[in-house]
C-alpha cells in the first residue's frame, strides 16, 4: 500500500478559527520573551513551565529550575483560584511557558492569561531557542 502524503484540505473554506488564525490571535495577547529575557524573569522569581512531553525532555534536556506540567493538565495547574494550582502561583507572578519551538506554548500562554495570570507569556522559539542561545540545559543520563 502506498502512503498518501498529508495535504491541506482544499474542499473546506478556511474558517475564522483555523490554527493559523488561532495562533495569531493568541500571540496578540502576549509579549513573547527571548531566551535571555526568560532567564532574567526566572532569576527575578518568575516561573518557567515546560509543557513538552517527557520523551522530548529526555531526548533534548531541560531548563534548570523549570517546572514540568504536562499539557493535558496545564489549565488546572495554572488556574490561580483553582484547588490544583501550582504552589506560589498568583495573578501577578511572571509565568513563561515553554514547548519545543514556541507554537503550543503561545496557545497555552494565551489560555493562562484567560485564567487570570496577567503576566503569562511564552518563550519565542521554545526550548530549542533556549538551547541554541547557549543557556544552561540539564540532561538525564540513561
Amino acid at each position: 500500500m502506498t502512503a498518501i502524503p498529508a495535504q491541506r484540505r482544499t474542499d473546506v473554506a478556511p474558517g475564522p478559527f483555523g490554527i493559523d488564525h488561532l495562533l495569531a490571535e493568541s500571540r496578540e495577547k502576549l509579549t513573547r520573551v527571548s531566551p535571555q529575557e526568560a532567564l532574567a524573569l526566572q532569576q527575578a522569581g518568575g516561573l518557567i513551565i515546560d509543557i513538552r512531553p517527557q520523551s522530548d525532555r529526555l531526548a533534548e534536556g531541560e531548563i534548570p529550575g523549570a517546572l514540568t506540567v504536562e499539557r493535558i493538565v496545564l489549565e488546572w495547574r495554572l488556574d490561580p483560584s483553582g484547588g490544583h494550582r501550582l504552589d506560589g502561583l498568583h495573578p501577578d507572578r511572571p509565568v513563561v511557558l515553554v514547548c519545543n519551538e514556541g507554537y503550543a506554548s503561545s496557545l497555552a500562554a494565551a489560555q493562562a492569561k484567560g485564567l487570570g495570570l496577567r503576566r503569562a507569556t511564552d518563550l519565542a522559539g521554545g526550548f530549542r531557542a533556549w538551547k541554541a542561545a547557549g543557556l544552561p540545559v540539564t540532561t538525564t543520563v540513561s
Side-chain angles (χ1 to χ4, degrees), residues 14-97:
F17 298 104
I19 190 60
D20 293 335
H21 173 84
L22 187 58
L23 183 63
E25 189 177 69
S26 294
R27 288 181 172 169
E28 286 175 5
K29 300 173 186 172
L30 306 173
T31 302
R32 301 181 79 210
V33 296
S34 70
Q36 294 80 8
E37 291 168 322
L39 177 61
L41 285 170
Q42 183 186 43
Q43 291 171 337
L47 297 175
I48 294 180
I49 301 176
D50 191 338
I51 64 170
R52 296 176 301 142
Q54 181 181 17
S55 59
D56 290 350
R57 295 189 316 269
L58 289 172
E60 298 185 53
E62 297 179 295
I63 296 171
L67 300 177
T68 301
V69 179
E70 294 284 339
R71 183 65 184 97
I72 194 168
V73 296
L74 187 65
E75 287 78 10
W76 284 266
R77 303 293 282 149
L78 293 184
D79 181 353
S81 63
H84 299 286
R85 73 181 170 279
L86 294 168
D87 289 337
L89 192 65
H90 57 80
D92 291 315
R93 188 169 189 184
V95 173
V96 180
L97 292 147

